[in-house]
Amino acid sequence: MRFASLKFLGILVCLASLLSAMPIAAKPGDQYNAGGQIEPGKRQNLLTGPKKIHAPIPPPGVSASALTSQLGAPGDMAILDGFVFVLDSKSGQVERMRIGAGGAIGMRSLFAGGFKNASSVVIAKDNLLISDAYGVWQSPANAAFSAQKTLILPVRSGAVLTSKPLAYDTAQNRLYIGLNTDSGAHIASLDLATGQRASLPINAQSISALALTPGGGALWAGGIVEGRAAVFDVRNPVNTLAFAKGAQLTSLHFPNRNIANAPAQKTETETEWPSGLYIGLSSTDIKTAPPMIAVAGFAFGQIETAYTEFVQLPLSGPSAILSQNGTIFFTNAQKGTLWRLTKPALPKAELPKAPVKPPTPQNAKPEDTKRPVIAL
């Protein structure tokens, strides 16, 4: 009997050691920093590895649905007046799709094509700006049929074959473009009203994404800094968040009305999303840095040194993240799919109750004259 008990105990010990050696599947809510995973989330499952995931896993209360597929290799995207513009980086075309009621995709049509190594799109007023091997092109976004394109910012040959992320400052009517060359990376800016150009030097080996805080403010860049993926404030590079080894930054986005140094002002019909900078992360090592949409918070204007997994993704990160009217969209180039994240809207604010009429000599009762009891 004693031998059988010891044998059973040995089996339990071996099983425990085996489970601890299995890859841990990160779940929404897990936290990471430059050193890797900090503390596992409550939904963690030791028996489920990241390789077994075939669809995005959002946090509780959030739904993920595929709006459309067969998009080739969808990269960046932009939204204007109920239309979403999706860039197919492989075919060099931009497809325009109408977003119908409830977020359903309606009519699809070719908007513009003929781009070489296209990498980014952004809306600037009523125009769609597209970056490719030759520079930045402009097309009227409201064109009824295939739009004409005009080269508004040519680039030198050293940056022809590299990605060129874009960001547009609405308040200043200024375009920012990330340029990667053999000698390093820098950011060029173009005043779309005057055509004046400027250059912002940065201490990064490459740039893969740009984002501006809503309403103007800090310009954020994501790329490789000192051999590791990081996001940083371009004008204050000390304000930096480094990611776990193996992570590859693909996109940056601030959800609508979500400002880095101030709480979001919510309306009664607006969806409440976690506040912060949304970051698309792909991976070269899914054990230490699984693909995800992460959220980085802010404290007094400084980005925090840790980030939280918001959506767990299968094998590859999102090519782009956008939000509009309480809905978050993201593309997956590996599957050629446009995804949507939805969440119930905030409940309508309750009307204040009418004040209780104070007692009068006509309707007063004996208990109304008693002194209130105050708990100490």
Side-chain angles (χ1 to χ4, degrees), residues 53-57 312-314 339:
I53 300 167
H54 301 288
I57 300 179
Q312 183 181 359
L313 298 174
W339 291 87

Side-chain angles (χ1 to χ4, degrees), residues 195-280:
Q196 183 180 4
R197 304 179 186 182
S199 180
L200 300 173
I202 57 173
N203 183 25
Q205 285 77 56
S206 63
I207 305 175
S208 55
L210 294 173
L212 282 154
T213 53
L219 173 63
W220 295 88
I224 302 298
V225 179
E226 297 181 355
R228 177 167 293 194
V231 58
F232 57 94
D233 184 339
V234 172
R235 296 182 177 87
N236 181 22
V238 178
N239 196 2
T240 298
L241 166 64
F243 297 96
K245 184 179 180 180
Q248 293 181 321
L249 194 146
T250 59
S251 55
L252 299 173
H253 177 65
F254 285 99
N256 293 348
R257 304 178 64 85
N258 209 335
I259 300 176
N261 195 21
Q265 301 297 319
K266 309 178 188 68
T267 65
E268 62 181 18
T269 60
E270 189 175 359
T271 300
E272 182 180 10
W273 295 103
S275 178
L277 176 60
Y278 283 49
I279 305 159

Side-chain angles (χ1 to χ4, degrees), residues 152-153 173-175 188-199:
I152 63 171
L153 181 63
N173 193 24
R174 180 173 291 276
L175 176 69
S189 69
L190 173 66
D191 189 317
L192 296 180
T194 66
Q196 183 180 4
R197 304 179 186 182
S199 180

Side-chain angles (χ1 to χ4, degrees), residues 107-122:
M107 179 183 66
R108 292 172 53 172
S109 62
L110 175 65
F111 175 76
F115 300 103
K116 181 180 179 180
N117 299 111
S119 57
S120 187
V121 294
V122 69

Side-chain angles (χ1 to χ4, degrees), residues 36-330:
Q37 192 174 14
I38 299 174
E39 184 177 354
K42 295 180 180 179
R43 297 178 61 204
Q44 187 159 252
N45 184 349
L46 292 176
L47 299 179
T48 304
K51 291 185 178 180
K52 296 183 179 181
I53 300 167
H54 301 288
I57 300 179
V62 177
S63 300
S65 56
L67 292 182
T68 186
S69 57
Q70 299 179 346
L71 291 174
D76 205 3
M77 59 180 171
I79 298 178
L80 178 67
D81 296 336
F83 287 92
V84 58
F85 299 83
V86 180
L87 173 65
D88 184 343
S89 55
K90 186 175 182 180
S91 67
Q93 297 179 340
V94 177
E95 189 170 350
R96 179 170 59 184
M97 294 168 277
R98 177 179 289 278
I99 304 177
I105 294 296
M107 179 183 66
R108 292 172 53 172
S109 62
L110 175 65
F111 175 76
F115 300 103
K116 181 180 179 180
N117 299 111
S119 57
S120 187
V121 294
V122 69
I123 293 291
K125 293 188 176 180
D126 293 328
N127 294 306
L128 182 71
L129 306 182
I130 309 104
S131 66
D132 78 343
Y134 302 107
V136 180
W137 301 83
Q138 176 178 286
S139 295
N142 55 4
F145 301 101
S146 296
Q148 299 295 320
K149 57 185 182 181
T150 304
L151 186 63
I152 63 171
L153 181 63
V155 299
R156 59 190 177 90
S157 58
V160 165
L161 299 178
T162 58
S163 64
K164 302 174 185 64
L166 301 175
Y168 174 66
D169 188 334
T170 305
Q172 301 294 329
N173 193 24
R174 180 173 291 276
L175 176 69
Y176 294 94
I177 173 172
L179 297 174
N180 300 293
T181 65
D182 294 336
S183 58
H186 70 279
I187 297 174
S189 69
L190 173 66
D191 189 317
L192 296 180
T194 66
Q196 183 180 4
R197 304 179 186 182
S199 180
L200 300 173
I202 57 173
N203 183 25
Q205 285 77 56
S206 63
I207 305 175
S208 55
L210 294 173
L212 282 154
T213 53
L219 173 63
W220 295 88
I224 302 298
V225 179
E226 297 181 355
R228 177 167 293 194
V231 58
F232 57 94
D233 184 339
V234 172
R235 296 182 177 87
N236 181 22
V238 178
N239 196 2
T240 298
L241 166 64
F243 297 96
K245 184 179 180 180
Q248 293 181 321
L249 194 146
T250 59
S251 55
L252 299 173
H253 177 65
F254 285 99
N256 293 348
R257 304 178 64 85
N258 209 335
I259 300 176
N261 195 21
Q265 301 297 319
K266 309 178 188 68
T267 65
E268 62 181 18
T269 60
E270 189 175 359
T271 300
E272 182 180 10
W273 295 103
S275 178
L277 176 60
Y278 283 49
I279 305 159
L281 294 174
S282 192
S283 176
T284 59
D285 187 345
I286 61 175
K287 293 183 179 180
T288 60
M292 68 176 76
I293 296 177
V295 179
F298 291 81
F300 304 103
Q302 298 290 312
I303 194 167
E304 296 179 349
T305 57
Y307 54 100
T308 302
E309 184 177 46
F310 180 59
V311 177
Q312 183 181 359
L313 298 174
L315 298 181
S316 63
S319 303
I321 307 170
L322 276 184
S323 62
Q324 187 179 60
N325 299 331
T327 300
I328 293 178
F329 302 90
F330 66 94

